[in-house]
Amino acid sequence: MSTYLHLRAVPPPALRNSAAWLERLFEGDLEIVRDRAGRHREEVLDKRCLDQERIYAGVLPHRAEGRPENQVVLGGRPVFRADRHKPPFLVLTAAQARRVAGFLATADFGELWNFARAALLPRYGGVGAEPDAWQAFEVTHRELKEFYIQTAADGDAVVKWLPDRS
């Protein structure tokens, strides 16, 4: 089973603090979801999303509470679902999304990679496979950067959803 993380930009007036509303935001046909969100911006991270978090936080997820870097992938205020066994939705306010965009706009990916590489390389084929691993993570970094910069420019919030692995 693969883990994917979905991120959606949502205009603050449309955002609801309701797990049921957030579930509807992510269910159904992609075009319907886009209409519901009121924007056409979203990002989907593949199974490396947990390791991508390590690049920004320097540690495993949720160990660097409060750092804007930590909000890039897995940060945000949790909105718990009725079934507590399902992962919560994570919500970044428009102000938090702007802080993340600012961080990503100025972050040097090479420096971020160098800080996390020792922890990541063994999981991705070792030193011999570093160019491929570096490229995969750098592409995701660029996509996240573009997503957050555009989201911040539009003044939107971000909702994150890690689909159930069942």
Side-chain angles (χ1 to χ4, degrees), residues 83-162:
D83 181 349
R84 294 289 178 145
H85 293 97
K86 293 182 177 182
F89 294 98
L90 300 172
V91 178
L92 292 180
T93 64
Q96 290 169 320
R98 278 192 305 277
R99 282 196 297 276
V100 172
F103 166 74
L104 291 174
T106 60
D108 178 296
F109 181 77
E111 289 179 18
L112 294 170
W113 175 258
N114 286 337
F115 188 74
R117 75 183 284 279
L120 294 176
L121 281 181
R123 297 171 48 81
Y124 293 92
V127 175
E130 183 169 7
D132 291 335
W134 186 92
Q135 181 180 8
F137 283 97
E138 197 272 335
V139 165
T140 300
H141 171 75
R142 267 196 330 262
E143 291 170 350
L144 284 167
K145 180 177 164 179
E146 291 168 9
F147 171 80
Y148 275 108
I149 288 173
Q150 187 59 54
T151 298
D154 290 340
D156 288 341
V158 174
V159 178
K160 304 171 190 180
W161 174 56
L162 190 64

Side-chain angles (χ1 to χ4, degrees), residues 18-85:
S18 157
W21 186 89
L22 294 171
E23 286 175 356
R24 285 191 304 275
L25 177 67
F26 285 98
E27 71 186 12
D29 177 82
L30 184 58
E31 291 305 315
I32 293 170
V33 167
R34 286 180 173 169
D35 288 342
R36 245 185 248 133
R39 296 275 189 232
H40 293 275
R41 281 189 337 284
E42 60 194 359
E43 193 62 50
V44 178
L45 302 184
D46 66 14
K47 62 186 175 185
R48 288 187 309 269
C49 66
L50 299 177
D51 288 330
Q52 191 79 29
E53 178 75 3
R54 184 181 289 268
I55 288 174
Y56 301 115
V59 294
L60 289 174
H62 305 297
R63 292 281 176 93
E65 300 288 331
R67 292 176 56 195
E69 308 83 280
N70 190 267
Q71 296 176 352
V72 174
V73 179
L74 294 177
R77 178 183 48 80
V79 175
F80 294 98
R81 297 159 82 178
D83 181 349
R84 294 289 178 145
H85 293 97

